Amino acid sequence: MAKPAIFTIDDDPMVLNAIERDLRKRYGQDYRIVSVNQGQAALNFLKQMSQRNETVALFLVDQRMPQMSGTEFLAQARPIFSEAKRLLLTAYADTQAAIDSINQVGLDYYLMKPWDPPEERLYPVLDEMLADWKAHARLPYEGIRVAGTLWSMQSHEVKDFLARHQIPYQWLDIESNPMAHQLVTEVNQGDVVIPTVFFPDGSVMTQPTLRDLAEKAGLQTRAERPFYDLVIIGAGPAGLAAAVYAGSEGLRTLVLERQAPGGQASRSPRIENYLGFPTGISGDDLARRAVTQARRFNTEILSAQEAQQISIQHSYRIVHLADESEISCYAVLLATGATFHLLKMPGAAALNGAGVYYGAAYTEATYYQGKDVIVVGGANSAGQAAIYLSRFASKVTVLMRGPEPTASKYLVDELRENEKIELLLDTDLIEVKGQDRLEEVIVRNNQNNEIRSLRAAALFVFIGVEPQSKLVAGLAKCDEKGYVLTGVDLLVDGKRPEGWPLERDPYLLETSVPGIFAAGDVRYGTSHRVASAVGEGAIAVALIRQYLRSL
Ligand SMILES: Cc1cc2nc3c(=O)[nH]c(=O)nc-3n(C[C@H](O)[C@H](O)[C@H](O)COP(=O)(O)OP(=O)(O)OC[C@H]3O[C@@H](n4cnc5c(N)ncnc54)[C@H](O)[C@@H]3O)c2cc1C
């Protein structure tokens, strides 16, 4: 951590040198001594220090400076480093000015020049002030800081991305924290541009893409080789399981993930039905362990890299990425899973990220402390979210279209026992309202058509799952909803799919294109469970090895 600074300003170079020398001698080991000879330059420097998240323990400022008096400087410096101690260096004639500044700028002390000998006239005063500062100072957070508002979708995405990579960050809400607001406007020429991300090395990014953020945070975003045996697209449970098995079998394997490893499972605060974890495991924890395990077997995992298309050249499969680069391989595993599609009812699109979140209870929950929130959906994902949110929110209302929850029994029991949770069954969400953030939702009972309005600070959506198969549209056969067909599901009346070039049937998890396999939630017939995705990922690798042997 950077040392806290003792900041001194005097326009007289002789005096400045003398004070710098005396400060360095006594405090140089524990404090950084910054000396500047002019008020405005000092203010500019202070702003840079604040952006770098450095801290000032003490200002030692000359009162009589030509462009800006010491009192004027301290008045402007105060909001930037409000906790720093303030000492004014005065001449005899300035005594009244110093007394006035005690109230004006919260002056802690004034000292008449000259201060010789420092051991008697300077150090005892400063020792006391610094001891006082140390006892009360809140030292600055040293990691990445994200400044934004709760109502900004891009701020939410940045927080989510960092959280899912287990990169710690400090959230600065510019609406409730004036210092954060000032920091943002200072680096954006007076404008409020969010999210603004401050890095410990002093650099700043405004509205970064996930790709830029990943690179800056030191995540791997580029493949090390041009060619792999296997490229796995998607790092959810299916992709990560395949990554572990493929790596352990010695296949040169690359995983492409457009966001962060973990997939939908990382939205789950507690997965309780996955083998081997009797007290449950969070999706993030599971993903973190899987990533470590896969990397141990030399599998490369790229973050913030989206695959957009796959093309075929003889026995090679070419994966085209969103950044227009390409990666060649022998086999591809589609493990792109599914996602919640956006609500179409009035008001929903405008409030996306401004109180309306899709499958995001984990990241946002703490911000809704003491507020009323709504969860939409009746399956396990919605049930888990409601239970997790009830730890923070004052009330959680769960809207379900059907007469009964479809979640597993253990979750339904927990939902019913929780006093903060209300289940509204047979209920459709019909409208979402709010000026620049969610304020109210309108629901209808689909049995008696009764319409109700519910006040809510946030709406967490867990309905409308959609397979992520766009990148193979027109290449591999899918059902009408977009789920990718594999193995026996491709055979119609025992006949192989049209255009199938081989003298064998497609393998169990092989798509209608030889060498392209699918596993997990993107695949037709899967059971939308972590364990199934993991199992399919592992089986796919066995089949891929069989395929590779035939080349
Ligand atoms: C909130 C929640 C709670 C859940 N709780 C449980 C539970 O308790 N127990 C249980 O068994 N199941 C649970 N599930 C279901 C379970 O998480 C899923 O069945 C499982 O994650 C599916 O795994 P997958 O690897 O097939 O796909 P996903 O988990 O969907 O992962 C797919 C990955 O592919 C990436 N991707 C997609 N397209 C591309 C592309 N073009 N390029 C690069 N990457 C791409 C995505 O970003 C994603 O990371 C829950 C789901 C949710 C949403």
Side-chain angles (χ1 to χ4, degrees), residues 164 232-241 255-274 281 283 302 304-309 319-322 334-340 358-362 379-385 408 410-411 461-462 465-471 519-523 526-534 536-537:
R164 289 179 59 193
I232 299 169
I233 307 176
L240 289 173
V255 183
L256 300 172
E257 169 54 53
R258 72 175 167 200
Q259 291 172 331
Q264 293 169 76
S266 63
R267 306 283 182 199
S268 171
R270 197 145 67 110
I271 299 166
E272 293 187 79
N273 56 358
Y274 185 59
I281 180 166
L302 308 190
Q305 264 295 8
E306 180 170 6
Q308 283 203 319
Q309 214 191 337
V319 181
H320 303 263
L321 306 183
L334 271 182
T336 46
T339 189
F340 298 104
Y358 293 83
Y362 208 10
N380 280 8
S381 51
Q384 281 176 5
S408 305
Y410 78 93
L411 272 176
V461 182
F462 294 89
V465 170
E466 213 171 54
Q468 298 296 288
S469 59
K470 224 166 59 202
L471 81 161
D521 277 16
V522 72
R523 197 181 70 80
T526 192
S527 67
H528 297 279
R529 288 283 184 272
V530 174
S532 328
V534 167
E536 289 182 20

Side-chain angles (χ1 to χ4, degrees), residues 163-313:
R164 289 179 59 193
H165 278 99
Q166 283 95 38
I167 298 173
Y169 66 88
Q170 185 185 39
W171 168 239
L172 304 175
D173 187 340
I174 64 163
E175 285 186 332
S176 59
N177 177 346
M179 262 306 289
H181 190 278
Q182 189 179 336
L183 264 181
V184 166
T185 49
E186 265 162 20
V187 295
N188 293 300
Q189 288 76 46
D191 291 333
V192 176
V193 187
I194 52 168
T196 296
V197 186
F198 300 87
F199 294 89
D201 65 0
S203 59
V204 179
M205 279 182 162
T206 42
Q207 300 189 330
T209 61
L210 294 187
R211 182 70 189 282
D212 292 342
L213 198 60
E215 280 177 5
K216 178 76 196 168
L219 300 169
Q220 189 183 350
T221 59
R222 285 169 216 278
E224 281 172 10
R225 316 159 183 246
F227 189 88
Y228 292 82
D229 296 318
L230 170 63
V231 171
I232 299 169
I233 307 176
L240 289 173
V244 169
Y245 284 96
S248 69
E249 296 297 340
L251 299 185
R252 290 168 298 175
T253 307
L254 176 74
V255 183
L256 300 172
E257 169 54 53
R258 72 175 167 200
Q259 291 172 331
Q264 293 169 76
S266 63
R267 306 283 182 199
S268 171
R270 197 145 67 110
I271 299 166
E272 293 187 79
N273 56 358
Y274 185 59
L275 186 73
F277 296 93
T279 54
I281 180 166
S282 78
D284 272 341
D285 210 5
L286 190 65
R288 186 178 49 77
R289 288 162 186 247
V291 166
T292 309
Q293 204 173 359
R295 290 210 166 115
R296 235 192 78 216
F297 293 122
N298 299 320
T299 299
E300 280 178 56
I301 302 174
L302 308 190
S303 289
Q305 264 295 8
E306 180 170 6
Q308 283 203 319
Q309 214 191 337
I310 303 172
S311 62
I312 314 289
Q313 274 177 24

Side-chain angles (χ1 to χ4, degrees), residues 17-263:
N17 274 347
I19 193 137
E20 191 182 342
R21 181 202 57 215
D22 287 346
L23 289 174
R24 221 174 271 293
K25 192 168 142 203
R26 172 90 167 195
Y27 303 107
Q29 192 150 349
D30 300 325
Y31 294 87
R32 179 179 166 209
I33 311 299
V34 182
S35 59
V36 185
N37 64 1
Q38 202 258 337
Q40 190 52 52
L43 280 174
N44 295 344
F45 194 72
L46 275 187
K47 286 176 187 162
Q48 288 168 16
M49 286 180 72
S50 154
Q51 279 159 26
R52 288 195 298 266
N53 215 18
E54 292 170 5
T55 188
V56 175
L58 174 76
F59 288 111
L60 214 151
V61 184
D62 184 33
Q63 167 63 7
R64 209 171 269 207
M65 295 188 289
Q67 279 106 0
M68 185 185 287
S69 73
T71 308
E72 282 164 350
F73 169 82
L74 287 172
Q76 293 190 55
R78 195 177 180 187
I80 309 175
F81 288 105
S82 55
E83 291 187 345
K85 296 286 165 193
R86 290 170 276 269
L87 186 151
L88 207 56
L89 284 175
T90 60
Y92 183 72
D94 299 328
T95 313
Q96 191 52 46
I99 292 168
D100 291 347
S101 350
I102 293 177
N103 294 329
Q104 234 174 306
V105 296
L107 194 70
D108 293 291
Y109 207 90
Y110 68 91
L111 195 70
M112 252 178 276
K113 294 192 271 188
W115 56 85
D116 280 333
E119 284 75 13
E120 273 176 35
R121 298 206 47 221
L122 181 69
Y123 296 152
V125 172
L126 298 193
D127 283 352
E128 202 175 301
M129 289 173 87
L130 289 170
D132 200 24
W133 174 81
K134 246 191 205 160
H136 298 103
R138 282 166 297 166
L139 290 177
Y141 177 75
E142 285 179 63
I144 296 174
R145 292 169 300 152
V146 181
T149 68
L150 278 183
W151 325 110
S152 136
M153 185 62 191
Q154 249 187 301
S155 304
H156 164 67
E157 278 171 359
V158 165
K159 284 186 289 175
D160 193 48
F161 184 78
L162 293 172
R164 289 179 59 193
H165 278 99
Q166 283 95 38
I167 298 173
Y169 66 88
Q170 185 185 39
W171 168 239
L172 304 175
D173 187 340
I174 64 163
E175 285 186 332
S176 59
N177 177 346
M179 262 306 289
H181 190 278
Q182 189 179 336
L183 264 181
V184 166
T185 49
E186 265 162 20
V187 295
N188 293 300
Q189 288 76 46
D191 291 333
V192 176
V193 187
I194 52 168
T196 296
V197 186
F198 300 87
F199 294 89
D201 65 0
S203 59
V204 179
M205 279 182 162
T206 42
Q207 300 189 330
T209 61
L210 294 187
R211 182 70 189 282
D212 292 342
L213 198 60
E215 280 177 5
K216 178 76 196 168
L219 300 169
Q220 189 183 350
T221 59
R222 285 169 216 278
E224 281 172 10
R225 316 159 183 246
F227 189 88
Y228 292 82
D229 296 318
L230 170 63
V231 171
I232 299 169
I233 307 176
L240 289 173
V244 169
Y245 284 96
S248 69
E249 296 297 340
L251 299 185
R252 290 168 298 175
T253 307
L254 176 74
V255 183
L256 300 172
E257 169 54 53
R258 72 175 167 200
Q259 291 172 331

